[in-house]
Structures are given as structure tokens and as C-alpha cells.
Amino acid sequence: LEQGPAATGFSRVTLANGFDNFFKQFTLENFNALVTQELGHARRLDEIVSNAAEEKLSRGALARGPEFLAHVASGNLPNPTLMSIALGVLTRSAQFVKCASGASFVPRLFAHSLYDAEPKLGACLEIAEWRGGRADIEKTLFEEADCVTVTGSDETLAATRHHVPARARFLGYGHRLSFGYVTSEALTSFQAKKTAARAATDIVAWNQLGCLSQHVIYVEHGGAADAGDGGRKGKAQRDGGKDQLSQIGERIDEQRREGAHGGDDAEPDREHEDDQQADDEIGRRLAEHGEDTDQQVGGPLIAGGSENAGRDAGAQRDHHRQQRQLEGERETVEDHGEHRLAVGNGNAKLAMEE
């Protein structure tokens, strides 16, 4: 946290909250559940075992991960890279992680922490960084790898896949865009504030740069918070929508202030000031939307009147933050929060909330 803001472009508070939310999911129970979901048994990678259904058929199986796993990591967020490493450890694979330029700080710290905890595991992990397009280095790496994972833009995936030998398995995680949907059941008087707080947290987390970051939130009318009767129902729904909009906006402002003033060691307010112009524009669109009394079920809450307004507002915010983070010739590749174990044909997803 001391050196992280300068190395990553994220404030100390953003890093602390992001890592706390990420690593609290690293529990024995969660990893056992993931392996069981993927492979049918928690010890499938260790020995020949049978689950309940297989025992009835007198069958058993052992799963083996790739001996050498190569990762081409994105540069926007640290979490997807850390998740790739963790899943590689689960599959008992030696790993080589190619980081985007200027994005190896957090993965290196994680690798050193792993080595401190278990030197033999840490010795099977190598972290490196170079600018993309170094065909001479990447050709050697891909030829040796049994499996190659790539997190980045769709163009990066297509270009990399072309250089991966046919014998090696290729796992690509490309560009994604997320939105939120709030059902009427979540708008009861008891749940409305909690829903608004959670929505604000999802928007603010990692400066809205993740593939799971919401850029538009659609709200379904009809919850108890909108309840009315007779001719008052429509007005109650509209007023309820404005109240929820106001709650989310207030929570976003609160969390941004916490990020900008997160203690003596927090990143200076320069970051908050740099974003103010973009945030003012989004705030204006929020206010305009609050006056739109004709919005129907599924109407965008964090957006302007047009169907593309939410995407445009999110794009403006992304542009301001990406310009700051991608200084120093950082590669502009997308992150992705979903990863799969590189074993057999298993495709179970582990979507880590960013």
C-alpha cells in the first residue's frame, strides 16, 4: 500500500478495499468448492477418487493440470492476474506470467508472498514484463507451454492465438462490458438503502475499470418503495425512482470522497480533481434522468435519456482514468474477472467480484 499508488495509479484506499474484497474469497472452503464444481471431487488432482455417482458405477478418475502454464496478463487491474496465478497453483502447474509493461508490481509482490509461505511453490512461478509484439521471446515461451491463457482485448487474443502451437491449449478472456439490473423485490423499504449502497460500491470499485464494473443500472418499477394506490401509484413509482437514484448518487460521492481523503497516506486529491470534470458530466446526466418521469420498466438509472448515454458516460470516465493509468507506455489491454481451471474440459467459472 505504501508504494502501490505510484506503481499502479490507484489510490491507497482503492487498493486496500480491492485487495480486501478479493483475498477474503481465498479460503479453503471456496477453493475446495471450486475444484469440486470443476472436477467432481476436491481431491481429483491428488489421487484417483470417486464421487457418489461414480462409486455406484465403480469408476474413479485422476485429473492432471498442464505441466507448464503461460499467462499473458492484462494491464488494467491486478486481480485477474492474481486469480490466474492462484488457479495455476491449484492445478499444480509451473507458471510463467508475462505482465503488461509497468504492471508487474502487484504480481511480483504476490509471487514473493507465495515464496515466503511455501518456497517450493514459489520457485515454480516466474514473473516478467515486456511490451507486446516481441515475437522472438513469445515464440519461445509458447512453444514450451502446455497451456496459454491470455487476458486482453479481442484483438490481442486473436493475434496471440495465431502464435500458439496447435498442441497447446489456448484460453482467452476478451473484452466484456457489464450492466446492473435491480428487481422490484430489491426495492422494498428495508432493502432500498442496502441495494443503493451495493450498487455504489460496484461502480466505484477499481475506478470502474473492471469487466464486471457496471456502466448502466436498470431498475424495475413496482417494488414496495414505489408502492401507492389508485391514481397515486404512478407518481409513487416515479418518486421512488428518484429517491433510489439520489441514494446511489450520494453513496458514490461518499465513497469517492473516502478514496480521495482516505487517511494521511492516501493518494493526494490530484486524482479526484482530475476526474471532477467527467464526474460532473455524469452527475448532470443523473440529474436529467431523475427528471424523466416517463421512464418505464428497465429504464437506465445511471444514464441519460438516450439508450447510448450510459455507455457514453462510462466511456468518458474510463478515458480519464485510463489516460492516467496507462502513462509510461503501458499496454492498453482489457481485463477480465472470469477465469477457469485449465484442466480437462471443465468450464466452470469463478467470477471474482472486483
Side-chain angles (χ1 to χ4, degrees), residues 20-42:
D20 284 345
N21 290 330
F22 180 73
F23 284 113
K24 73 180 181 182
Q25 301 178 75
F26 276 35
T27 66
L28 180 61
E29 293 78 9
N30 285 348
F31 284 129
N32 279 335
L34 174 63
V35 175
T36 301
Q37 177 184 338
E38 280 275 82
L39 306 177
H41 197 290

Side-chain angles (χ1 to χ4, degrees), residues 15-97:
L15 290 171
N17 291 338
F19 290 143
D20 284 345
N21 290 330
F22 180 73
F23 284 113
K24 73 180 181 182
Q25 301 178 75
F26 276 35
T27 66
L28 180 61
E29 293 78 9
N30 285 348
F31 284 129
N32 279 335
L34 174 63
V35 175
T36 301
Q37 177 184 338
E38 280 275 82
L39 306 177
H41 197 290
R43 294 195 57 79
R44 185 81 74 188
L45 288 159
D46 301 294
E47 57 186 341
I48 297 177
V49 291
S50 304
N51 56 32
E54 293 166 338
E55 286 180 354
K56 295 179 180 179
L57 300 174
S58 299
R59 293 180 177 177
L62 169 70
R64 295 182 60 186
E67 183 177 351
F68 180 38
L69 183 57
H71 303 290
V72 178
S74 65
N76 285 9
L77 297 182
N79 287 4
T81 305
L82 304 184
M83 193 69 239
S84 293
I85 296 173
L87 296 182
V89 172
L90 281 181
T91 59
R92 285 64 165 166
S93 301
Q95 301 180 78
F96 188 102
V97 183

Side-chain angles (χ1 to χ4, degrees), residues 13-332:
V13 172
T14 296
L15 290 171
N17 291 338
F19 290 143
D20 284 345
N21 290 330
F22 180 73
F23 284 113
K24 73 180 181 182
Q25 301 178 75
F26 276 35
T27 66
L28 180 61
E29 293 78 9
N30 285 348
F31 284 129
N32 279 335
L34 174 63
V35 175
T36 301
Q37 177 184 338
E38 280 275 82
L39 306 177
H41 197 290
R43 294 195 57 79
R44 185 81 74 188
L45 288 159
D46 301 294
E47 57 186 341
I48 297 177
V49 291
S50 304
N51 56 32
E54 293 166 338
E55 286 180 354
K56 295 179 180 179
L57 300 174
S58 299
R59 293 180 177 177
L62 169 70
R64 295 182 60 186
E67 183 177 351
F68 180 38
L69 183 57
H71 303 290
V72 178
S74 65
N76 285 9
L77 297 182
N79 287 4
T81 305
L82 304 184
M83 193 69 239
S84 293
I85 296 173
L87 296 182
V89 172
L90 281 181
T91 59
R92 285 64 165 166
S93 301
Q95 301 180 78
F96 188 102
V97 183
K98 183 270 178 189
C99 298
S101 297
S104 66
F105 176 76
V106 174
R108 289 186 189 279
L109 290 180
F110 184 60
H112 283 296
S113 297
L114 183 62
Y115 184 86
D116 289 341
E118 182 50 66
K120 289 185 178 180
L121 285 179
C124 296
L125 175 62
E126 182 65 36
I127 309 293
E129 69 171 77
W130 63 78
R131 287 189 57 81
R134 289 291 305 273
D136 54 336
I137 303 177
E138 293 168 2
K139 181 176 183 295
T140 301
L141 175 62
F142 297 154
E143 286 179 349
E144 295 295 327
D146 299 295
C147 179
V148 177
T149 75
V150 181
T151 305
S153 65
D154 294 339
E155 293 77 14
T156 298
L157 266 63
T160 306
R161 185 192 297 267
H162 179 71
H163 297 288
V164 176
R167 64 164 186 79
R169 188 177 183 189
F170 179 89
L171 296 176
Y173 307 100
H175 174 71
R176 297 292 176 88
L177 186 65
S178 298
F179 67 90
Y181 186 85
V182 181
T183 66
S184 59
E185 291 81 5
L187 298 179
T188 64
S189 57
F190 176 76
Q191 290 286 345
K193 290 184 178 181
K194 183 181 293 186
T195 300
R198 289 175 175 175
T201 297
D202 288 344
I203 292 170
V204 172
W206 293 113
N207 294 354
Q208 210 175 13
L209 291 175
C211 283
L212 298 181
S213 299
Q214 301 172 21
H215 293 272
V216 176
I217 298 179
Y218 293 92
V219 177
E220 180 182 20
H221 295 320
D226 295 333
D229 54 65
R232 292 178 295 175
K233 183 176 181 179
K235 183 177 185 301
Q237 288 182 338
R238 292 191 292 271
D239 291 344
K242 292 180 182 179
D243 291 342
Q244 293 139 21
L245 174 65
S246 176
Q247 290 176 17
I248 293 178
E250 290 173 359
R251 290 292 299 178
I252 291 174
D253 288 341
E254 289 175 7
Q255 295 193 35
R256 290 204 185 286
R257 284 194 295 270
E258 290 174 1
H261 305 282
D264 296 336
D265 297 326
E267 190 174 359
D269 288 349
R270 180 179 62 258
E271 176 182 349
H272 182 71
E273 294 170 357
D274 290 343
D275 289 338
Q276 192 60 52
Q277 183 177 359
D279 287 343
D280 288 345
E281 171 63 15
I282 293 173
R284 180 185 65 78
R285 295 187 181 190
L286 286 170
E288 289 177 354
H289 182 81
E291 298 300 322
D292 185 1
T293 58
D294 296 325
Q295 203 67 33
Q296 300 299 318
V297 173
L301 182 61
I302 308 299
S306 70
E307 64 180 25
N308 291 325
R311 181 181 62 187
D312 295 342
Q316 291 178 11
R317 176 176 287 173
D318 282 351
H319 175 72
H320 279 260
R321 295 190 175 115
Q322 287 173 347
Q323 285 296 109
R324 182 175 59 255
Q325 291 187 47
L326 300 179
E327 291 177 357
E329 301 182 334
R330 175 168 300 179
E331 294 175 24
T332 55

